[in-house]
């Protein structure tokens, strides 16, 4: 009887999500040259101009360009002066992800609930207003210098947010079919993965839905461990990687060295037609990691029947994996900036809810070939 009461109390607690999230609101990069970066994400990836913030809109120390494709919004921000947090961030980390902004109904409650559970405040609940209404935002730090902003925009009707103006341009490249953020992966230091798992559980109410140890993710030379954290409704998923011991330097160590600390390793963006999307991205000059051609000799033995023809997948270098619920198609870009740090994953899910475990080995061997070319293996 008592056990049952405890169990139902636990169930009641589990059902009440103290941090309800309805997905990713935007991803903000701190970069050396926002104007040029915005052009790159538009021309290469098919994002369109959305909004601009800078001296002309009353913001004196920075410029920010917001670009959008379907439900994906990126913000590229750079400093106009040498002594700002943005300039220091770029000097230390290179171009990289600063804010993983999440959509909430109540940004004040999100901040209160997370900071009282141990989250370190980045921004107290702040209301911004302009002619289009009001937007409330708050934020907490996560791994490294990365921040989760909580964005409440139910009373805001403007193009992006107060401080920004509409950005109109004659150059509007066609979409490449990218739809929304599927997941964002963080790289953390040696033996730090479980600390951040606990952080997402305790501070943000996430659950650990999948774990990979160094036996799952190892090549002849290197290894890593990973745990996938998900919020209650599954709209927000954050896998966390840490390096594991191997014969040579792992990709996570290379990242930590060049990013100068912990940070966002990749953002996975979903498409409904990966063959069309990747064809278009490759035509626009986006470079992808390639696995050896013999990957395709055995892939269908491993994953079974799929809807797509193998020939275009092989031509483009798209990988396939299957779990109990279905299959997925995925491919990874080379680093998006000079440092071997952040990259994108393009993913199409056909039922599968996992992350491509069957591809890890081939993929990490491909990564190691690139690392070796850079002299960092
Ligand atoms: Fe991924």
């Amino acid at each position: 009887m008592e056990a049952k009461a405890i169990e139902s109390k636990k169930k009641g607690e589990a059902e009440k999500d103290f941090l309800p999230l309805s997905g990713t609101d935007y991803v903000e990069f701190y970069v050396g040259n926002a104007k040029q970066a915005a052009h790159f994400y538009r021309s290469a990836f098919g994002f369109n101009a959305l909004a601009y913030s800078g001296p002309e809109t009353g913001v004196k120390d920075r410029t920010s360009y917001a670009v959008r494709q379907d439900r994906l919004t990126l913000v590229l921000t750079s400093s106009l002066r040498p002594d700002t947090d943005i300039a220091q961030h770029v000097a230390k980390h290179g171009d990289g992800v600063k804010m993983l902004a999440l959509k909430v109904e109540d940004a004040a409650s999100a901040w209160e609930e997370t900071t009282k559970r141990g989250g370190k405040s980045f921004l107290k609940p702040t209301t911004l207003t302009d002619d289009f209404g009001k937007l409330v935002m708050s934020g907490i730090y996560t791994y490294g210098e990365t921040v989760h902003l909580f964005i409440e925009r139910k009373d805001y009707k403007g193009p992006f947010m107060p401080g920004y103006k509409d950005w109109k341009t004659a150059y509007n490249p066609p979409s490449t079919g990218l739809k929304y953020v599927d997941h964002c992966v963080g790289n953390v230091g040696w033996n730090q993965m479980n600390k951040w798992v606990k952080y997402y559980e305790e501070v943000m109410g996430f659950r650990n839905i999948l774990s990979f140890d160094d036996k799952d993710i190892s090549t002849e030379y290197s290894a890593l461990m990973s745990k996938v954290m998900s919020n209650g409704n599954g709209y927000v998923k954050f896998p966390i990687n840490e390096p594991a011991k191997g014969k040579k330097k792992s990709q996570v160590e290379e990242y930590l060295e060049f990013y100068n600390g912990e940070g966002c390793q990749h953002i996975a963006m979903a498409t409904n037609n990966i063959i069309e999307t990747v064809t278009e991205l490759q035509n626009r000059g986006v470079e992808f990691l390639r696995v050896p051609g013999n990957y395709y000799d055995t892939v269908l033995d491993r994953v079974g029947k799929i809807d797509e023809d193998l020939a275009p997948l092989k031509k483009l270098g798209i990988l396939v994996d299957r779990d109990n619920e279905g299959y997925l198609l995925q491919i990874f870009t080379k680093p998006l900036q000079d440092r071997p740090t952040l990259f994108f994953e393009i993913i199409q899910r056909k039922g599968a809810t996992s992350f491509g475990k069957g591809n890890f080995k081939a993929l990490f061997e491909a990564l190691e070939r690139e690392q070796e070319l850079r002299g960092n293996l």
Side-chain angles (χ1 to χ4, degrees):
M1 192 68 188
E2 200 176 311
K4 207 173 175 185
I6 291 168
E7 208 181 301
S8 67
K9 182 167 177 269
K10 266 191 184 161
K11 202 169 165 233
E13 280 173 0
E15 277 165 7
K16 191 183 175 305
D17 187 353
F18 64 81
L19 182 62
L21 302 172
S22 41
T24 302
D25 195 280
Y26 65 91
V27 180
E28 182 167 1
F29 299 61
Y30 280 179
V31 298
N33 189 329
K35 188 175 207 163
Q36 292 186 2
H39 198 282
F40 170 72
Y41 288 104
R42 292 162 66 212
S43 57
F45 286 92
F47 286 83
N48 273 190
L50 176 67
Y52 166 81
S53 160
E56 300 86 344
T57 69
V59 179
K60 298 299 182 198
D61 65 340
R62 67 183 68 187
T63 55
S64 296
Y65 295 79
V67 297
R68 178 167 288 168
Q69 179 166 191
D70 206 306
R71 280 182 282 155
L72 280 160
T73 307
L74 307 181
V75 177
L76 295 314
T77 293
S78 57
S79 180
L80 295 172
R81 301 181 187 285
D83 50 358
T84 64
D85 290 349
I86 300 163
Q88 283 163 17
H89 197 277
V90 173
K92 183 173 179 190
H93 303 295
D95 290 5
V97 171
K98 176 63 178 178
M99 318 280 186
L100 290 165
L102 306 168
K103 274 187 214 304
V104 297
E105 277 294 303
D106 184 340
S109 156
W111 185 86
E112 279 151 22
E113 295 293 338
T114 51
T115 54
K116 88 176 180 206
R117 289 173 169 83
K120 183 184 163 201
S121 177
F122 170 78
L123 177 72
K124 285 184 180 173
T126 304
T127 302
L128 306 171
T129 56
D130 67 11
D131 295 345
F132 297 104
K134 75 164 188 173
L135 181 144
V136 189
M137 63 198 290
S138 62
I140 58 170
Y141 282 98
T142 176
Y143 46 76
E145 292 190 88
T146 316
V147 167
H148 289 312
L149 288 179
F150 303 118
I151 308 290
E152 172 190 331
R153 54 170 74 250
K154 60 179 182 286
D155 299 319
Y156 192 68
K157 301 278 176 281
F160 183 51
M161 59 169 63
Y164 284 77
K165 65 172 189 182
D166 224 0
W167 173 17
K168 291 264 182 269
T169 167
Y171 178 59
N172 296 295
S175 160
T176 59
L178 298 173
K179 297 274 180 201
Y180 58 87
V181 173
D182 186 275
H183 60 274
C184 297
V185 179
N187 276 344
V188 301
W190 288 95
N191 305 312
Q192 297 297 300
M193 178 178 69
N194 286 326
K195 174 185 136 183
W196 290 105
V197 164
K198 204 164 158 251
Y199 168 92
Y200 279 104
E201 284 172 347
E202 289 177 0
V203 174
M204 295 182 69
F206 282 41
R207 285 178 308 122
N208 175 211
I209 55 166
L210 271 175
S211 299
F212 307 101
D213 64 21
D214 48 347
K215 283 172 222 56
D216 296 318
I217 317 183
S218 67
T219 66
E220 189 189 344
Y221 297 125
S222 71
L224 65 88
M225 294 189 278
S226 189
K227 287 189 176 176
V228 181
M229 305 308 294
S230 172
N231 81 317
N233 61 19
Y235 288 179
V236 179
K237 292 192 242 8
F238 294 139
I240 310 285
N241 296 335
E242 75 172 25
K245 283 219 158 49
K247 280 189 213 159
K248 296 192 178 183
K249 191 191 280 183
S250 88
Q251 47 162 311
V252 179
E253 288 176 271
E254 188 196 35
Y255 176 100
L256 295 169
E257 182 185 333
F258 282 86
Y259 199 72
N260 229 318
E262 302 179 340
C264 178
Q265 180 211 37
H266 75 264
I267 297 168
M269 301 185 298
T271 169
N272 290 339
N273 188 331
I274 197 165
I275 293 174
E276 279 178 20
T277 294
V278 174
T279 299
E280 190 56 36
L281 293 172
Q282 291 188 1
N283 286 341
R284 297 186 196 193
V286 177
E287 294 182 315
F288 292 91
L289 285 178
R290 300 298 295 228
V291 298
N294 64 11
Y295 170 92
Y296 296 91
D297 297 347
T298 55
V299 66
L300 294 183
D301 301 337
R302 180 165 58 80
V303 303
K305 198 179 166 323
I306 59 171
D307 301 337
E308 293 73 14
D309 289 335
L310 203 55
L313 300 180
K314 183 175 179 179
K315 179 170 170 261
L316 296 164
I318 293 165
L319 310 176
V320 194
D321 197 27
R322 185 179 285 280
D323 63 24
N324 293 332
E325 287 153 280
Y327 71 96
L328 62 80
L329 303 140
Q330 62 186 171
I331 190 168
F332 298 81
T333 71
K334 290 188 181 181
L336 296 163
Q337 57 293 307
D338 296 309
R339 298 194 196 191
T341 51
L342 178 72
F343 57 88
F344 284 165
E345 172 182 353
I346 314 298
I347 185 166
Q348 181 179 5
R349 294 187 179 276
K350 300 192 98 168
T353 54
S354 54
F355 295 84
K357 181 179 164 185
N359 292 323
F360 287 171
K361 195 173 160 65
L363 189 64
F364 296 153
E365 284 169 354
L367 260 166
E368 282 168 3
R369 282 193 295 278
E370 300 283 318
Q371 245 180 287
E372 188 151 39
L373 289 173
R374 294 190 282 263
N376 295 331
L377 186 63

